[in-house]
Amino acid sequence: MKYSVKMRASKNNNKENLHIGGAESIVDEDDLLNIINSLASRGLNHSRGQADFVNIKINKVREDDIINIRALETRTIEVDTKEEGLVVMEKLLNSMGIEKSQRVIDLLINTKNMRGAIILNILTMERMEGDLDKGVRVTNMDYASRRDISNKNHFKEALCLATKTLNAKAIIGEVCISDDPDYVTGYLANKKEYIRITKLKERGDLNGGRVFLYDPRLDTIENTIDYLKNQLVIVHE
Ligand code: WAQ
Ligand code: MG
Ligand code: MG
Ligand code: MG
């Protein structure tokens, strides 16, 4: 028996509910209480301050509904400046056959305050995510191996998300910049690898986002969004 456990934490900010963090796991029954503990403490003592609300949702899942996939290969490209990092990203996009790579980058670096990702049609350069403020959130994924999730591990969590995302038939690439002001390493993923680029923004910058590159010839947008949101995926390293 396996369970999906999801945590989200928020703060009160002038009566507004401000999201400060979230995390999730897919675990065996034996690990369930430990994971609830780790996620609760992660939510309560978040790096963006103490939470006012922590919501933990537990769902039993059917093993037959889970697909198992191998993590993308990873490599790192070291750069000294954000400008250099963005040039590396542009060249990688060009090498993937993306003609309007500069437009992909403009969209990425101007994104802020979205909870989910932009889905960009690579033929028309139209946004496909429907809710343009929120974007599409990829969820229902985890690693096969046990790990300590009481603190955020940017790299591991992003690799898990990218592995699930790039396994969608029609998603051929992803670019990402963290919205955390102290985390300047971002990445580009394609069907084969997850390429870390060590500087894509200046320290202190609160902007960040994700753009998924969608090829409409490979699958419908409905199937693609349904897969990203709902398919249970376990990633093997
Ligand atoms: N699904 C879709 N989009 C998301 C999700 C999600 N589950 N979570 C976050 N986003 C979008 C949203 O627009 C955020 O503002 C943006 O991505 C960045 O999210 O190898 O920390 O959680 O070291 O800040 C990269 C690690 C870390 C690079 C990325 O993203 C490396 C990171 P954050
Ligand atoms: Mg976040
Ligand atoms: Mg995240
Ligand atoms: Mg963040």
Side-chain angles (χ1 to χ4, degrees):
M1 190 75 70
K2 278 194 159 51
Y3 290 86
S4 151
V5 189
K6 293 177 181 163
M7 179 280 292
R8 58 196 163 79
S10 57
K11 267 169 96 86
N12 284 328
N13 188 7
N14 305 322
K15 290 191 182 151
E16 270 221 282
N17 206 265
L18 184 74
H19 171 86
I20 58 173
E24 68 173 297
S25 188
I26 301 168
V27 290
D28 290 322
E29 199 166 2
D30 297 348
D31 284 336
L32 183 59
L33 292 175
N34 281 330
I35 286 292
I36 291 169
N37 211 314
S38 302
L39 288 176
S41 78
R42 173 164 165 173
L44 286 166
N45 301 301
H46 198 271
S47 57
R48 291 187 207 170
Q50 270 215 325
D52 295 310
F53 300 107
V54 176
N55 184 309
I56 291 184
K57 192 164 87 182
I58 304 163
N59 274 301
K60 200 187 274 186
V61 300
R62 283 163 34 97
E63 304 251 1
D64 288 353
D65 291 337
I66 298 173
I67 61 170
N68 288 279
I69 58 183
R70 186 147 294 282
L72 291 167
E73 296 293 319
T74 67
R75 68 180 162 107
T76 304
I77 299 177
E78 306 266 353
V79 295
D80 294 323
T81 64
K82 128 188 151 182
E83 288 75 18
E84 208 187 315
L86 292 170
V87 169
V88 166
M89 182 176 275
E90 188 181 359
K91 289 190 174 147
L92 289 168
L93 288 168
N94 291 340
S95 74
M96 288 162 57
I98 305 294
E99 279 167 20
K100 300 196 170 112
S101 53
Q102 192 53 54
R103 280 180 58 189
V104 176
I105 290 173
D106 284 343
L107 196 55
L108 177 68
I109 63 182
N110 290 309
T111 301
K112 56 181 157 213
N113 296 328
M114 283 179 73
R115 292 264 291 117
I118 290 170
I119 303 185
L120 189 67
N121 180 323
I122 56 158
L123 300 184
T124 63
M125 290 287 141
E126 277 174 302
R127 290 177 61 172
M128 309 295 286
E129 67 273 19
D131 184 337
L132 299 182
D133 294 324
K134 186 157 173 268
V136 169
R137 276 189 71 78
V138 185
T139 175
N140 292 310
M141 68 272 176
D142 195 7
Y143 287 101
S145 57
R146 264 192 229 184
R147 64 186 66 229
D148 178 14
I149 58 166
S150 53
N151 289 294
K152 177 159 177 158
N153 181 325
H154 290 81
F155 167 50
K156 288 294 178 189
E157 290 170 27
L159 177 62
C160 186
L161 186 154
T163 297
K164 177 177 178 183
T165 299
L166 272 294
N167 187 56
K169 287 194 203 87
I171 304 294
I172 61 147
E174 177 190 354
V175 287
C176 169
I177 299 177
S178 178
D179 55 29
D180 300 8
D182 291 329
Y183 204 87
V184 301
T185 298
Y187 65 89
L188 173 148
N190 59 36
K191 289 287 188 190
K192 282 181 292 195
E193 42 176 12
Y194 171 104
I195 304 165
R196 311 176 71 192
I197 302 169
T198 57
K199 189 162 187 190
L200 287 174
K201 70 173 187 178
E202 299 299 341
R203 218 161 270 286
D205 185 351
L206 289 160
N207 285 15
R210 281 184 158 91
V211 179
F212 297 163
L213 304 174
Y214 166 70
D215 183 336
R217 294 167 296 195
L218 302 176
D219 201 355
T220 64
I221 192 67
E222 291 78 15
N223 286 348
T224 302
I225 291 175
D226 180 55
Y227 165 87
L228 293 170
K229 286 182 173 167
N230 301 317
Q231 175 65 56
L232 290 157
V233 170
I234 292 191
V235 174
H236 296 254
E237 282 183 291

